[in-house]
Amino acid sequence: GIVGESGSGKSTTARIICGLERADSGTVHVEGDDWSRPARGGAERRVRAKTMQMVFQDPYQSLDRRQTVRQCLTEAIRVHRRADSREVIAARISELADQVHLDAALLDARPRALSGGQRQRVAIARALINKPLVLLLDEPLAALDLKLRQRLLVELDAIHDEVGITFLYVTHDQGEAMSISDQIAVMNQGRVEQI
């Protein structure tokens, strides 16, 4: 977990780790590869995208409003040039819908017809669809009401245990960080002050 006040640099750090922003100094290494430099070409971008995915505070950032949930998840698979059959894709989407507790009836809905919690579940499913090694979650529950936030936090912890990948959870809420994180980095003014 990365915790800190607003403006402390935690989201920027997550975006740098994910390769969405460039660091002014220092390096980011993922499985021995230097991710500090921009990806060279489409193949390297696809490898990076498969290695690491990010879920944003606003799920609309990763969802196409014109597509149904099923189309959005199918596109996420095809972006990685996987030539899976329709049956394999349908099975993976169904499996993920179960994992993130998304009702199967919502797979044919568009994002605008979903509640905030349902949209965030879809964004998490989209990020997990290609089985990344790391999932970065940038204040994914901040826009939700307290009761839903608490329920989704428990569900995220269960999803983490089930998929068995590294989660990097960014939040300003120390309670959230402590309930889901094995280690917590406390940030202040762009620096890690304590782990």
Side-chain angles (χ1 to χ4, degrees):
I2 299 178
V3 70
E5 295 179 4
S6 294
S8 64
K10 56 193 183 302
S11 292
T12 301
T13 300
R15 292 178 64 82
I16 288 168
I17 291 168
C18 197
L20 298 174
E21 289 189 29
R22 197 172 192 157
D24 294 333
S25 63
T27 59
V28 175
H29 291 269
V30 178
E31 294 206 324
D33 293 328
D34 183 357
W35 279 33
S36 308
R37 59 168 180 70
R40 287 182 249 154
E44 189 174 349
R45 277 194 293 277
R46 282 190 296 280
V47 167
R48 287 188 182 189
K50 183 160 176 32
T51 303
M52 196 171 303
Q53 285 288 311
M54 190 159 182
V55 175
F56 301 93
Q57 182 176 345
D58 178 4
Y60 269 135
Q61 286 186 274
S62 58
L63 304 177
D64 186 335
R65 299 172 192 192
R66 297 164 297 178
Q67 295 179 324
T68 65
V69 170
R70 186 181 317 275
Q71 289 168 331
C72 180
L73 296 175
T74 300
E75 181 184 313
I77 291 172
R78 295 212 167 114
V79 162
H80 293 286
R81 303 209 174 172
R82 290 178 47 185
D84 294 336
S85 68
R86 286 183 181 169
E87 293 79 20
V88 169
I89 291 172
R92 180 71 180 133
I93 289 171
S94 178
E95 173 190 347
L96 267 172
D98 287 344
Q99 264 181 346
V100 301
H101 305 283
L102 185 68
D103 189 327
L106 297 175
L107 292 174
D108 294 314
R110 297 198 192 301
R112 69 177 173 269
L114 304 177
S115 70
Q118 291 166 336
R119 285 186 203 127
Q120 202 58 285
R121 291 171 201 269
V122 174
I124 292 165
R126 188 177 194 287
L128 290 172
I129 198 117
N130 288 303
K131 301 178 181 177
L133 297 176
V134 179
L135 180 64
L136 292 108
L137 299 124
D138 186 9
E139 301 207 41
L141 310 179
L144 306 175
D145 66 61
L146 179 62
K147 192 173 181 179
L148 182 56
R149 222 173 32 239
Q150 291 170 335
R151 189 171 75 227
L152 281 178
L153 191 61
V154 170
E155 290 177 12
L156 268 176
D157 199 22
I159 290 167
H160 173 260
D161 292 343
E162 190 175 334
V163 298
I165 64 171
T166 299
F167 278 23
L168 181 66
Y169 193 87
V170 174
T171 183
H172 64 275
D173 186 315
Q174 291 180 2
E176 269 184 31
M178 290 170 62
S179 69
I180 199 167
S181 304
D182 297 322
Q183 283 190 311
I184 299 172
V186 179
M187 290 198 74
N188 185 29
Q189 296 181 354
R191 301 183 77 84
V192 173
E193 300 232 329
Q194 184 180 7
I195 295 180

